[in-house]
Every structure is written in structure tokens, then in C-alpha cells.
């Protein structure tokens, strides 16, 4: 789907790592939340609360998922899931446009 | 208002200047369009088609509006308008979170 309809969008951005990672929060009618974000090149560690589905619309990165030993190569059109209450690391190689869905 | 409700959000980001400026497009039920964007520090020139209202939620920048000789200092909480079919320049001093409304 190329757009999300009937959503509420928080006006202010979420900013992390001095703005190298920013996102916008979308709230759906059923209360589900997604963020649409941009990562500039760099290496970042994130922590999850809920389980997350990360869809990469464009860009190139490597991700080190919890309990994995090897970095996975990820590019536009691919996605990965992260468990709840976990940490994961990314190495962003080129500007990355992503959609993060918080899963139940 | 802290959020926009009942909008459609385009999934893919708009990217300009190698991603130093990115934005998300929101379409309202009456067809009006706004973009929510992030500008990294740098100097950029933009061209308008429609008249634009630029609201700066946070950040610091200078703007040179068409037919003006002096750069205006703008910071979070301030806004400026740009006429249609015009060019304007910005010097972004710190990460800037903005909302651009395309005016009729």
C-alpha cells in the first residue's frame, strides 16, 4: 500500500541521535501505532518495548538482531522483526526510509 | 494542535539534497496538503509552486525570502510565508522540524 488512510499524525517529530534518526508517529483508528522514519548514515543501537516490524522502503543497512552473531544485510524492499524488550544495532550505509510497526 | 487527524499519509518519504531535507506528505479530507519535514544543518534553495506557510516546530534557521535583501532569523515556534512560483533560501543552523502547508 502506498499510503495509510484515516490516521492521526503527531505534528512534532521524534528525534534520536542528534537528529540522525527521526520519525513521525501515526495512530490508526484501532489504536495501532506505526512510525515513518529516516535514518542518516551511521551506527545506532535501539531498544524495543513492543515487538517491532521494520520495513525498509529504501536505503541500505546492516542489522545485528538480538541473539544473532552475524550482521544481516538489508536493503529497500526488505524487512526484519525485532522481539519485545530487546536491543538491536544498525549500521546505516545510505539514507534509509523505513516504516516501523509496533506489534501486539 | 498537537496532531492532525483523519489524514492520509504517503508511505515513502520525499527526499531532497541527498536526504538532508526529508518530508512526509499528509493529505486532508478536503484535498489540502501539508508536509511534515526535517532539515539537517546546511544551506538550501527551494522553489515553490503554490503559496506556502512554513511553521517551524523546533530548530534554528535563517531564511532569505524572495524580494528581500536581509536574512530573517527564525526559530522554533515561528513561521513564515512564501509566495507561489518563487525561490527562497534557508541556512539551517540546527536540526529543524517543520510543517509546510500548501495554501490556495
Amino acid at each position: 500500500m502506498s499510503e495509510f488512510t484515516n490516521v492521526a499524525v503527531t505534528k512534532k517529530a521524534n528525534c534520536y541521535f542528534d537528529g540522525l534518526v527521526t520519525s513521525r508517529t501515526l495512530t490508526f483508528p484501532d489504536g495501532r501505532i506505526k512510525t515513518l522514519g529516516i535514518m542518516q548514515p551511521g551506527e545506532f543501537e535501539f531498544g524495543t518495548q513492543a515487538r517491532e516490524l521494520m520495513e525498509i522502503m529504501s536505503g541500505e543497512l546492516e542489522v545485528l538482531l538480538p541473539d544473532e552473531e552475524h550482521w544481516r544485510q538489508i536493503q529497500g524492499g526488505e524487512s526484519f522483526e525485532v522481539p519485545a524488550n530487546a536491543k538491536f544495532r544498525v549500521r546505516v550505509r545510505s539514507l534509509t526510509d523505513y516504516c516501523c510497526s509496533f506489534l501486539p
Side-chain angles (χ1 to χ4, degrees), chain A:
Chain A
M1 110 203 58
S2 66
E3 66 174 17
F4 298 116
T5 55
N6 196 21
V7 297
V9 182
T10 305
K11 195 170 177 183
K12 273 180 177 285
N14 311 302
C15 294
Y16 310 97
F17 306 106
D18 293 326
L20 294 177
V21 178
T22 59
S23 72
R24 305 283 172 182
T25 302
L26 278 53
T27 307
F28 289 73
D30 62 2
R32 280 180 307 129
I33 288 177
K34 294 181 194 283
T35 58
L36 288 171
I38 295 287
M39 293 189 280
Q40 301 284 335
E43 182 162 345
F44 312 106
E45 182 176 79
F46 298 96
T48 64
Q49 294 182 318
R51 191 160 60 99
E52 295 183 2
L53 170 65
M54 283 284 287
E55 296 174 69
I56 308 304
M57 273 91 78
S58 64
E60 287 179 285
L61 68 158
E62 293 159 25
V63 60
L64 185 63
L65 291 172
D67 302 324
E68 293 196 356
E69 285 180 10
H70 298 286
W71 292 79
R72 295 187 194 188
Q73 313 289 319
I74 305 279
Q75 57 185 11
E78 298 182 331
S79 61
F80 59 90
E81 242 183 75
V82 189
N85 304 307
K87 288 187 175 177
F88 67 104
R89 289 163 63 190
V90 297
R91 290 180 186 147
V92 178
R93 299 305 190 189
S94 67
L95 188 83
T96 292
D97 182 15
Y98 71 87
C99 177
C100 177
S101 301
F102 297 96
L103 303 175

